[in-house]
Amino acid sequence: MRKITTGGGWPAVLYTLRKAREMGGFWKMWQAMRSRNACKTCALGMGGQKGGMVNEAGSFPEVCKKSLQAMASDLQAGIRSDFWQKYSIGQLKSLSPRELEYCGRLVEPVIHEAGKSHYRPISWEDAFARIAERLKSVQPDETFWYFSGRSSNEAGFLLQLFARIYGTNNINNCSFYCHQASGVGLTSVLGTGTATITLEDVEHADCIFLIGGNPASNHPRLMSTLKHIRRRGGEVIVINPVIETGLVNFSVPSDPWSLLFGTKIASLYVQPQIGGDLALLTGIAKKILELGQYDPAFLTTACDGWSEWKQHLESIHWSEICEKSGVGIDEIHAIARRYAKSKNTVFAWTMGITHHAHGVENVEAIANLALMRGMVGRPHAGLMPIRGHSNIQGMGTVGVTPKLKDVIFERLQSTFQISLPQTPGRDTMACMDGSLNRELKFGFCLGGNLFGSNPDASYAAKSLSKLDQIVYLSTTLNTGHAHGLAQETIILPVLARDEEPEPTTQESMFNYMRLSDGGSPRHTGPLSEIHVIAEIAQRVLQRSGPIDWNEMKSAQKIRESLAKVVPGLESLATIGETKQEFQIPGRTFHTPTFPTPSGRAQIKCHELPSLMGAPGEFRLMTIRSEGQFNTVVYEDYDLYRNIDRRDVILMHPEDLQLAGLFDDQRVVVKSAAGEMVGIRTRAFKNIRPGNVMMYYPEANILVPRSLDPRSKTPAFKAIPVTIKAL
Ligand SMILES: Nc1nc2c(c(=O)[nH]1)N[C@H]1C(S)=C(S)[C@@H](COP(=O)(O)OP(=O)(O)OC[C@H]3O[C@@H](n4cnc5c(=O)[nH]c(N)nc54)[C@H](O)[C@@H]3O)O[C@H]1N2
Ligand SMILES: Nc1nc2c(c(=O)[nH]1)N[C@H]1C(S)=C(S)[C@@H](COP(=O)(O)OP(=O)(O)OC[C@H]3O[C@@H](n4cnc5c(=O)[nH]c(N)nc54)[C@H](O)[C@@H]3O)O[C@H]1N2
Ligand SMILES: [Mo]
């Protein structure tokens, strides 16, 4: 394999052409990619009424391999009926995530009953009847409702509404394993849980901090924005224990100059130890203080807590900061100098920040650092959590959380003349615990892969197996369908976004509401998610006050309700006709007044956590490769890291030597949660010694269930492990 030294570039272009051939030719791919539907992969925001491959700022063509993979996956042929007789559960369990994905599109409902060796197809009528019957036989609080982030706002809103009227608040989405810490941290500091800026703002920044993320693989469209910042002479400061090739140099495929010569991305690359960010961010703030480069007027008029924080920063010793971050004082000085010089700084982060036991504190520390120089509450500067799934933010907006915002709760009750449950509701891990101890008996998953995304895979399988029934609404097969079986498991095949019979809406990470036109179904068999949910609700509840669930089979009707109950979404009532996509009001902060009780930002002080791991242990992060989207694996090789397979552990050559190991040796990797036998070592000089990396979801066997107490997110990126020769 040729060694890759730049992200993007010709491999990405060639990949596009290869995929086009698989998808039935360039024209067919072009049509699918250009249809007016929000892009299916990350939440950077693409497509919608401006047309596919166009971003919020109108830039075209914005192509990414992941959206092609997702599209190619939806264009697959349907799984044939005889598949279910051919493949036993045992055989399905032996398939890799990639093999399961390529079995084809799910086109008929199937059921598996405990003790049986196979799934078998059933009719939609039978499936609906079984689910409704089960829901009538258990208590509402014995059920949970898990949502992924690819479904529409309409489906998300409808399902949470049904679950609440049915009687439970056990409603949660994959955020609890993703950006929950960002929402909690931003809300604690600013009173708002999402990005404070628009894409247009980022395009004017002269400095961006990119902390704990690998956008070259996971948010490729952000790369042209980073390229613009560098071309304007701005700074891109990357904070990551791993030097990611695509963040050093990237060839933006849509830019001929960049494609030929590559674009330097990072102007400064800093490698803390895993989990060292809180100490590092505090160190940068301390240095800004020492340099006198903070904004005293902003800190006293727009913030509460400055004098306490100032004292706190003064009292922390540099030795503690350097030890707990793994970064030397000179390097911290170098970051602070660059930050001090900037007029408009944007702070962006992803899972390297949130997947920690102190994820919320990490986010608060980023917000603190931005406040220090008045970089929040004005144009062209601010805070930007880079979201994961294409509509995960919309899910939160429309009420897919255990606790509804008070205003939405009250408006739902008054609009629909209903009374909703007031119980606290469970987060995702609490649902897994409740299943294991039989407090929960029924689970409903709108997309996603609950089994595959969970830490401690053996625990997840065991806990789901205790449920009486689990229902999966899915487009393709994943590991959850093989390993996440309940006493009775029903898979319902649904339409993808661009096959919906009616337009639906999605929200980008910049709070921009998009309209997807939908399109014609590619298979007979799958139903729209909205239809499935309304049908079940109708059978279980018949009618609920003024809600006629049959009428709720219309996306337009659901949007009319959403417009009435969710502040800021008023224009959804007419978006179907006007086609006017919009920025959700009240979310972008161009003036320094924040929705906290005092109207000022709340600066938080933090104790610095020690780096985890005992002597003889390594710190393990579980991460995505270039060729996967979450638990869905499209390709086994990891292009930009030049890694050929997935059952590997990436270690610095020094660490290999220290542990008495060599490259390509078979080892046992052990953590408090479990062990993986026969994993192969891979010498990887781009990782900071002391830290190692493995691919998610396979490595979930090793991830303990301990959670960040404030966000309930597992520390997917910080697992002490030992590595021994097999
Ligand atoms: N191609 C592709 N795109 C995706 C996805 C996908 O699976 N594939 N998933 C989508 C989803 S849901 C999400 S949430 C995002 C995820 O996007 P990312 O967060 O970029 O993905 P990860 O691979 O989880 O983690 C990324 C980075 O965190 C760094 N890291 C690990 N630990 C630490 C730490 O302690 N500190 C710091 N500073 N960095 C650390 C790793 O070195 C790695 O570069 O991407 C979205 N887009
Ligand atoms: N160890 C470790 N674990 C992690 C992470 C990590 O970095 N490390 N990351 C975490 C993160 S950030 C996240 S977001 C979660 C991901 O958790 P999930 O969102 O639960 O998982 P996905 O793999 O994205 O779900 C993929 C499945 O969604 C279904 N699907 C695709 N499109 C549609 C659609 O249009 N409708 C419906 N109904 N179904 C559809 C397909 O069947 C596909 O198999 O995992 C988390 N788990
Ligand atoms: Mo995510």
Side-chain angles (χ1 to χ4, degrees):
M1 199 165 61
R2 196 171 63 86
K3 210 158 163 58
I4 302 287
T5 53
T6 177
W10 292 110
V13 174
L14 294 174
Y15 186 88
T16 308
L17 297 173
R18 206 166 65 236
K19 273 283 155 199
R21 209 171 53 226
E22 280 170 34
M23 283 152 86
F26 193 76
W27 180 235
K28 198 164 168 205
M29 181 199 81
W30 183 255
Q31 280 179 315
M33 296 302 295
R34 284 289 285 152
S35 75
R36 290 179 192 281
N37 287 287
C39 172
K40 292 169 183 172
T41 47
C42 80
L44 206 60
M46 213 61 59
Q49 294 306 297
K50 292 192 174 86
M53 304 191 283
V54 182
N55 73 14
E56 279 161 27
S59 161
F60 170 83
E62 300 282 337
V63 192
C64 120
K65 279 172 66 184
K66 251 54 56 176
S67 48
L68 283 172
Q69 286 163 338
M71 187 61 83
S73 165
D74 286 345
L75 291 175
Q76 289 185 90
I79 295 177
R80 289 162 38 149
S81 264
D82 57 358
F83 172 93
W84 305 105
Q85 284 128 42
K86 250 203 220 99
Y87 285 88
S88 68
I89 298 295
Q91 283 168 311
L92 292 179
K93 279 186 178 164
S94 72
L95 297 182
S96 68
R98 191 177 74 85
E99 289 163 334
L100 286 161
E101 168 70 12
Y102 287 125
C103 286
R105 281 288 297 272
L106 290 157
V107 290
E108 59 190 335
V110 290
I111 188 170
H112 175 260
E113 289 146 306
K116 296 276 167 61
S117 58
H118 289 72
Y119 273 105
R120 69 183 159 85
I122 53 174
S123 67
W124 274 103
E125 177 53 37
D126 192 6
F128 285 137
R130 281 168 184 267
I131 297 164
E133 194 188 323
R134 188 72 63 166
L135 282 168
K136 287 186 201 161
S137 73
V138 294
Q139 295 301 315
D141 263 338
E142 293 174 335
T143 68
F144 73 84
W145 309 73
Y146 172 79
F147 300 56
S148 180
R150 203 183 271 190
S151 301
S152 61
N153 291 321
E154 290 79 354
F157 175 74
L158 186 67
L159 184 59
Q160 66 81 36
L161 182 64
F162 163 49
R164 288 187 213 278
I165 297 179
Y166 168 66
T168 186
N169 284 327
N170 295 338
I171 292 164
N172 53 69
N173 66 52
C174 57
S175 263
F176 279 107
Y177 292 168
C178 183
H179 259 299
Q180 187 73 8
S182 303
V184 175
L186 285 174
T187 305
S188 98
V189 177
L190 298 177
T192 183
T194 59
T196 63
I197 47 175
T198 64
L199 178 59
E200 171 72 14
D201 287 318
V202 195
E203 291 291 351
H204 288 88
D206 63 9
C207 176
I208 185 165
F209 279 78
L210 194 62
I211 316 175
N214 181 22
S217 280
N218 299 324
H219 300 89
R221 274 113 177 204
L222 191 65
M223 300 314 289
S224 33
T225 304
L226 300 178
K227 176 192 80 179
H228 294 152
I229 294 177
R230 283 308 303 275
R231 284 207 181 148
R232 287 198 299 275
E235 300 276 355
V236 175
I237 302 172
V238 180
I239 298 178
N240 195 319
V242 176
I243 297 188
E244 301 284 13
T245 302
L247 300 184
V248 177
N249 204 325
F250 197 87
S251 301
V252 179
S254 58
D255 175 335
W257 183 266
S258 172
L259 183 60
L260 280 176
F261 303 109
T263 302
K264 294 262 173 288
I265 300 297
S267 52
L268 183 64
Y269 210 120
V270 182
Q271 284 181 281
Q273 302 283 5
I274 288 181
D277 302 84
L278 184 47
L280 174 58
L281 291 159
T282 306
I284 304 170
K286 186 175 169 75
K287 201 55 176 180
I288 292 286
L289 183 67
E290 289 180 359
L291 296 173
Q293 291 291 344
Y294 56 99
D295 182 341
F298 181 89
L299 286 161
T300 44
T301 55
C303 308
D304 290 326
W306 163 236
S307 62
E308 292 85 340
W309 190 40
K310 185 164 176 276
Q311 275 175 21
H312 181 68
L313 288 176
E314 282 162 350
S315 71
I316 301 177
H317 289 290
W318 277 110
S319 55
E320 184 184 353
I321 289 173
C322 296
E323 186 196 316
K324 292 182 170 174
S325 63
V327 183
I329 191 160
D330 290 347
E331 229 177 334
I332 297 179
H333 196 161
I335 307 172
R337 259 200 330 264
R338 283 169 160 84
Y339 180 32
K341 215 174 63 201
S342 153
K343 292 200 167 48
N344 296 308
T345 310
V346 166
F347 289 82
W349 67 92
T350 42
M351 298 299 106
I353 281 298
T354 63
H355 282 169
H356 288 285
H358 53 275
V360 174
E361 279 87 344
N362 274 343
V363 173
E364 289 174 341
I366 294 175
N368 280 353
L369 188 56
L371 291 169
M372 199 164 194
R373 300 201 61 243
M375 292 294 174
V376 197
R378 64 182 166 93
H380 307 162
L383 298 168
M384 182 176 116
I386 311 176
R387 300 272 167 194
H389 272 297
S390 54
N391 193 37
I392 190 56
Q393 198 165 302
M395 285 291 151
T397 299
V398 303
V400 181
T401 49
K403 185 175 172 0
L404 283 172
K405 291 210 170 81
D406 292 343
V407 41
I408 301 182
F409 182 86
E410 277 146 30
R411 286 195 191 172
L412 274 175
Q413 295 212 123
S414 58
T415 310
F416 296 121
Q417 297 148 43
I418 42 174
S419 100
L420 294 173
Q422 308 246 25
T423 45
R426 291 174 188 251
D427 58 78
T428 307
M429 185 47 85
C431 290
M432 302 305 290
D433 295 339
S435 305
L436 186 77
N437 64 25
R438 290 283 295 156
E439 283 166 18
L440 300 182
K441 301 203 167 84
F442 171 94
F444 191 98
C445 298
L446 180 61
N449 180 354
L450 179 57
F451 162 80
S453 61
N454 252 280
D456 198 343
S458 344
Y459 180 90
K462 194 163 157 205
S463 116
L464 294 174
S465 74
K466 303 271 169 137
L467 293 169
D468 292 343
Q469 188 181 64
I470 192 157
V471 179
Y472 293 115
L473 270 60
S474 312
T475 48
T476 48
L477 276 178
N478 61 46
T479 51
H481 303 124
H483 301 268
L485 300 178
Q487 292 303 300
E488 185 172 86
T489 305
I490 297 179
I491 310 176
L492 302 177
V494 291
L495 297 170
R497 176 176 305 161
D498 54 350
E499 300 165 354
E500 287 280 354
E502 273 185 278
T504 59
T505 58
Q506 291 79 25
E507 179 187 331
S508 82
M509 65 182 238
F510 293 109
N511 306 297
Y512 189 77
M513 192 57 82
R514 273 218 170 67
L515 182 72
S516 291
D517 279 353
S520 37
R522 301 189 172 99
H523 300 280
T524 49
L527 293 178
S528 113
E529 294 172 338
I530 294 168
H531 181 100
V532 174
I533 298 162
E535 181 67 36
I536 297 171
Q538 207 274 330
R539 286 172 190 243
V540 177
L541 301 175
Q542 279 85 46
R543 224 189 141 88
S544 313
I547 306 180
D548 175 345
W549 294 102
N550 261 329
E551 272 188 5
M552 288 298 208
K553 284 178 184 159
S554 143
Q556 171 58 27
K557 193 83 198 157
I558 301 171
R559 280 195 292 276
E560 286 164 19
S561 300
L562 262 171
K564 282 188 209 143
V565 299
V566 182
L569 299 193
E570 293 75 12
S571 332
L572 272 191
T574 50
I575 195 173
E577 296 147 38
T578 63
K579 312 260 179 208
Q580 275 301 313
E581 299 179 326
F582 61 94
Q583 197 72 38
I584 300 176
R587 299 262 187 96
T588 307
F589 293 89
H590 284 162
T591 54
T593 312
F594 306 103
T596 55
S598 68
R600 289 187 288 273
Q602 305 296 302
I603 296 176
K604 296 282 171 346
C605 295
H606 305 108
E607 294 305 316
L608 307 184
S610 297
L611 294 175
M612 46 91 201
E617 287 180 331
F618 293 93
R619 283 176 291 274
L620 168 72
M621 59 165 85
T622 58
I623 39 104
R624 294 156 169 78
S625 80
E626 164 66 14
Q628 74 183 88
F629 196 92
N630 293 345
T631 70
V632 180
V633 177
Y634 297 108
E635 293 148 355
D636 282 343
Y637 64 92
D638 191 357
L639 188 68
Y640 302 151
R641 298 192 188 110
N642 293 292
I643 300 294
D644 53 334
R645 52 198 289 168
R646 295 181 59 85
D647 55 348
V648 291
I649 184 160
L650 281 57
M651 297 176 73
H652 194 276
E654 278 173 25
D655 282 341
L656 276 174
Q657 208 178 20
L658 205 73
L661 301 169
F662 49 85
D663 187 30
D664 199 29
Q665 184 170 5
R666 299 186 72 211
V667 293
V668 182
V669 186
K670 211 170 184 169
S671 73
E675 63 173 22
M676 292 176 81
V677 179
I679 295 297
R680 285 164 194 274
T681 57
R682 284 286 176 272
F684 187 65
K685 65 174 178 21
N686 285 9
I687 190 166
R688 174 85 193 251
N691 307 284
V692 296
M693 59 212 283
M694 290 178 78
Y695 294 116
Y696 142 72
E698 293 88 335
N700 271 347
I701 293 166
L702 301 171
V703 184
R705 274 171 287 124
S706 45
L707 305 178
D708 171 9
R710 294 174 67 193
S711 64
K712 311 288 180 198
T713 302
F716 288 119
K717 300 278 186 277
I719 308 140
V721 293
T722 57
I723 307 161
K724 298 259 151 55
L726 183 65

